Amino acid sequence: MIRRFGVSLETELLDDFDALVESRGYGNRSEAIRDLIRAALVERDWESGTVEAAGAVVLVYDHRRRDLQARLTELQHSSHEHILATMHAHLDHDNCIEVVLLRGAAAEIKAIGERLIATRGVKHGRVVSTTLGDRLA
Amino acid sequence: MIRRFGVSLETELLDDFDALVESRGYGNRSEAIRDLIRAALVERDWESGTVEAAGAVVLVYDHRRRDLQARLTELQHSSHEHILATMHAHLDHDNCIEVVLLRGAAAEIKAIGERLIATRGVKHGRVVSTTLGDRLA
Amino acid sequence: MIRRFGVSLETELLDDFDALVESRGYGNRSEAIRDLIRAALVERDWESGTVEAAGAVVLVYDHRRRDLQARLTELQHSSHEHILATMHAHLDHDNCIEVVLLRGAAAEIKAIGERLIATRGVKHGRVVSTTLGDRLA
Amino acid sequence: MIRRFGVSLETELLDDFDALVESRGYGNRSEAIRDLIRAALVERDWESGTVEAAGAVVLVYDHRRRDLQARLTELQHSSHEHILATMHAHLDHDNCIEVVLLRGAAAEIKAIGERLIATRGVKHGRVVSTTLGDRLA
């Protein structure tokens, strides 16, 4: 069910907001406000650490590093109950980018991500927090 | 001038948002939405680097480190046209916290802050981006 | 080629760092320091906006939203020269998580990501900055 | 006491790091590495929420807003045991910037900051996490 309510904004702030709505490609103000609200809620959930969430770990590494893929795969299997899927793409002759999608408590996702990133030979990594979506209409 | 417009939100999302409005101490939804919008605008401005902005540099250091205060003061004076004020407080026998308020182009504020943080003996520092407020109603 | 140099740290800071190295699963201090350095370099590159980089966009959405998948696919095709690959996984009956891997100037990756996130029906999205890896040994 | 240990880095990464050390104004590599390590430790501490920490709340507001200063002062007094000092500077005819320095558990500092930021009339605010410095050599 959709509910509608009124928001009061200073004209100047509203004009500035409309420019942001336009430049980011939102269809209308409600859509942009919904996104700001959802982002604040997801951030709050991740801070709690215990909320069941989804996340992604993005890794960049040199696939020629001895045993690196084997070690990454082994680490992933040891957390298989949290891993949804993995995707791999080639950046150049040596470098690959890999994304691991996870679900679990925010703190667990983070710990798995940190361990993958810490693996010798991984050049850069990031853990990204998002949501299972079920609590966000 | 204040303008009023309607926002449509799914009931579930609105309930979750109302809990956030309450827990953060906002008086009403408009006030919370205004803050989300302003935060998005300030972030966009800082990414551009060139917008005239305000900022703060927070430093924690051991005041007994030889010449440290003298060096920090000298650095601040060499950027005096950007510095509004400085405050200092004592954390314990050795450690102090200092805040330097700045105004200028976002990129300049950042560069001054990084130089202060890089000064030998500063234990931790952060550059905080905010706004001059004039473009935010 | 590997080069070796000496670092001086206060005993207390070193002990605290060793605990971090251990808890994140790094094999040794050099590996952890390498990661801290690379993360700082990638952050600096993204701030410049113009450096050629890799990135990921993580999207959570309800696949039953009318035309949503079609619109997301269309948007991706209009930026096909920047898109490396896309992966999709199911979170529950309604919600999916999708990751789009991109390469291009940091500012372009960000703009494409913002547009995907702004698409009506996307519940949450994040743009993740990383590196092509070629400039990071 | 200072301890010295060796770090191994690829030549290319070291060159890139040296450029960063130079551009941020660090005196030498050890100083820059110390800062990267301390920043990682402070971040870890703040994530735990319970570690005793220092923080700053930066607020930008229009001082002519009725009762705003009175309300901000009242809020600060109700948390006086956590507040070290407050500084105020003028940005233009209407706008001021205020910094409140706090100490306490990270989660408490954050909650006090959120409440100050949520006060009607505050245009922008940020909570900044730092350290008491005693655990960081």
Side-chain angles (χ1 to χ4, degrees):
Chain A
M1 214 185 77
I2 299 283
R3 268 161 58 196
R4 203 170 164 79
F5 63 96
V7 172
S8 305
L9 280 193
E10 294 77 2
T11 309
E12 212 182 337
L13 186 58
L14 189 55
D15 290 344
D16 224 355
F17 178 51
D18 284 344
L20 191 75
V21 168
E22 166 89 19
S23 76
R24 295 226 177 133
Y26 284 104
N28 56 55
R29 291 174 191 152
S30 284
E31 193 54 32
I33 286 175
R34 242 176 259 144
D35 260 20
L36 290 173
I37 291 175
R38 288 186 200 117
L41 293 171
V42 171
E43 205 182 313
R44 181 202 59 187
D45 284 352
W46 269 76
E47 279 172 6
S48 86
T50 55
V51 169
E52 192 77 3
V57 181
V58 181
L59 304 168
V60 173
Y61 62 87
D62 183 338
H63 67 92
R64 298 168 315 165
R65 280 293 287 262
R66 217 164 78 84
D67 297 332
L68 179 51
Q69 281 201 292
R71 264 177 294 138
L72 291 176
T73 303
E74 199 184 304
L75 270 172
Q76 291 181 36
H77 274 276
S78 69
S79 298
H80 67 89
E81 72 279 18
H82 294 299
I83 294 186
L84 294 165
T86 299
M87 170 170 59
H88 185 106
H90 308 293
L91 293 170
D92 61 24
H93 189 267
D94 308 330
N95 294 290
C96 345
I97 185 166
E98 194 160 306
V99 183
V100 184
L101 291 180
L102 300 126
R103 69 182 299 160
E108 281 170 323
I109 291 176
K110 218 166 158 184
I112 297 170
E114 285 180 350
R115 198 152 278 266
L116 288 167
I117 293 167
T119 305
R120 188 182 178 80
V122 172
K123 293 182 172 185
H124 190 251
R126 293 280 303 274
V127 182
V128 195
S129 49
T130 182
T131 167
L132 290 174
D134 53 344
R135 300 178 55 235
L136 288 185
Chain B
M1 215 184 76
I2 299 281
R3 268 160 59 194
R4 202 171 166 78
F5 63 97
V7 172
S8 305
L9 278 194
E10 293 77 1
T11 311
E12 213 182 335
L13 185 58
L14 190 55
D15 290 345
D16 223 355
F17 178 51
D18 284 344
L20 191 76
V21 169
E22 166 88 19
S23 76
R24 295 225 177 133
Y26 285 104
N28 55 53
R29 291 174 191 151
S30 284
E31 193 54 31
I33 285 175
R34 243 177 257 143
D35 261 19
L36 289 174
I37 290 175
R38 288 186 198 117
L41 294 172
V42 171
E43 204 181 315
R44 181 203 58 187
D45 284 353
W46 270 76
E47 278 173 8
S48 87
T50 55
V51 169
E52 193 75 4
V57 181
V58 182
L59 305 168
V60 174
Y61 61 88
D62 183 337
H63 67 92
R64 299 169 313 164
R65 280 294 286 261
R66 215 164 78 85
D67 297 332
L68 179 51
Q69 282 201 292
R71 265 176 294 139
L72 290 175
T73 303
E74 200 183 303
L75 270 172
Q76 291 181 36
H77 274 276
S78 70
S79 299
H80 67 89
E81 72 278 17
H82 294 297
I83 294 185
L84 295 164
T86 299
M87 171 170 59
H88 186 105
H90 308 293
L91 293 170
D92 61 24
H93 190 266
D94 309 329
N95 293 290
C96 344
I97 185 167
E98 194 160 307
V99 183
V100 184
L101 290 179
L102 299 127
R103 70 182 298 161
E108 281 170 323
I109 293 177
K110 221 169 155 177
I112 296 169
E114 284 179 352
R115 198 152 279 267
L116 287 167
I117 292 168
T119 305
R120 188 181 177 81
V122 172
K123 292 181 174 186
H124 190 249
R126 294 280 303 273
V127 181
V128 195
S129 50
T130 182
T131 168
L132 291 174
D134 53 344
R135 299 178 56 237
L136 287 185
Chain C
M1 215 185 78
I2 299 283
R3 267 159 59 195
R4 202 170 165 79
F5 63 97
V7 172
S8 306
L9 279 193
E10 292 78 3
T11 309
E12 213 181 334
L13 185 58
L14 189 55
D15 290 345
D16 224 355
F17 178 51
D18 284 343
L20 191 76
V21 169
E22 167 89 19
S23 77
R24 295 226 177 134
Y26 284 104
N28 55 54
R29 291 173 191 153
S30 285
E31 194 53 34
I33 286 175
R34 243 176 258 144
D35 260 20
L36 290 173
I37 290 175
R38 288 185 200 117
L41 293 172
V42 171
E43 205 181 313
R44 181 203 59 185
D45 283 353
W46 270 76
E47 278 172 7
S48 87
T50 55
V51 169
E52 193 76 3
V57 182
V58 181
L59 304 168
V60 174
Y61 62 87
D62 182 337
H63 68 92
R64 297 168 314 164
R65 280 295 285 264
R66 216 164 77 85
D67 297 332
L68 178 51
Q69 280 201 292
R71 263 176 296 138
L72 290 176
T73 303
E74 199 183 304
L75 271 172
Q76 291 181 36
H77 274 276
S78 69
S79 299
H80 67 90
E81 72 279 17
H82 294 299
I83 295 186
L84 294 165
T86 299
M87 170 170 60
H88 186 105
H90 309 293
L91 292 170
D92 62 23
H93 190 266
D94 308 331
N95 294 290
C96 344
I97 184 166
E98 194 160 305
V99 183
V100 185
L101 291 179
L102 300 126
R103 70 182 298 160
E108 282 170 323
I109 292 177
K110 219 167 158 181
I112 296 170
E114 285 179 351
R115 199 153 278 266
L116 288 167
I117 292 168
T119 304
R120 189 183 177 81
V122 172
K123 293 181 173 186
H124 189 250
R126 295 279 303 274
V127 181
V128 194
S129 50
T130 182
T131 168
L132 292 175
D134 53 343
R135 297 178 57 238
L136 287 185
Chain D
M1 215 185 75
I2 299 282
R3 268 161 57 195
R4 202 170 166 78
F5 63 96
V7 173
S8 306
L9 278 193
E10 292 77 3
T11 309
E12 213 182 335
L13 185 58
L14 188 55
D15 290 344
D16 223 354
F17 178 51
D18 284 342
L20 191 77
V21 168
E22 166 88 21
S23 78
R24 296 227 176 132
Y26 285 103
N28 55 54
R29 292 174 190 150
S30 284
E31 193 53 33
I33 285 175
R34 245 177 257 143
D35 261 19
L36 290 173
I37 290 175
R38 289 185 198 117
L41 293 171
V42 171
E43 205 181 312
R44 182 202 58 187
D45 284 353
W46 270 76
E47 279 172 7
S48 87
T50 54
V51 169
E52 193 76 4
V57 181
V58 181
L59 304 167
V60 173
Y61 62 87
D62 183 338
H63 67 92
R64 299 168 314 164
R65 279 293 288 263
R66 216 165 78 85
D67 297 332
L68 179 50
Q69 281 200 292
R71 263 176 296 137
L72 289 176
T73 304
E74 199 183 304
L75 271 172
Q76 291 181 36
H77 274 276
S78 70
S79 299
H80 66 90
E81 73 279 17
H82 294 298
I83 295 185
L84 294 165
T86 299
M87 171 171 59
H88 185 106
H90 309 294
L91 292 170
D92 61 24
H93 189 266
D94 309 330
N95 294 290
C96 345
I97 185 166
E98 195 160 304
V99 183
V100 185
L101 291 179
L102 299 126
R103 69 182 298 162
E108 281 170 323
I109 291 176
K110 218 167 158 183
I112 296 169
E114 284 180 351
R115 197 152 281 265
L116 287 167
I117 292 168
T119 304
R120 188 183 178 81
V122 172
K123 292 181 173 186
H124 190 251
R126 294 281 302 274
V127 182
V128 196
S129 48
T130 183
T131 168
L132 291 174
D134 53 344
R135 300 180 55 238
L136 287 185

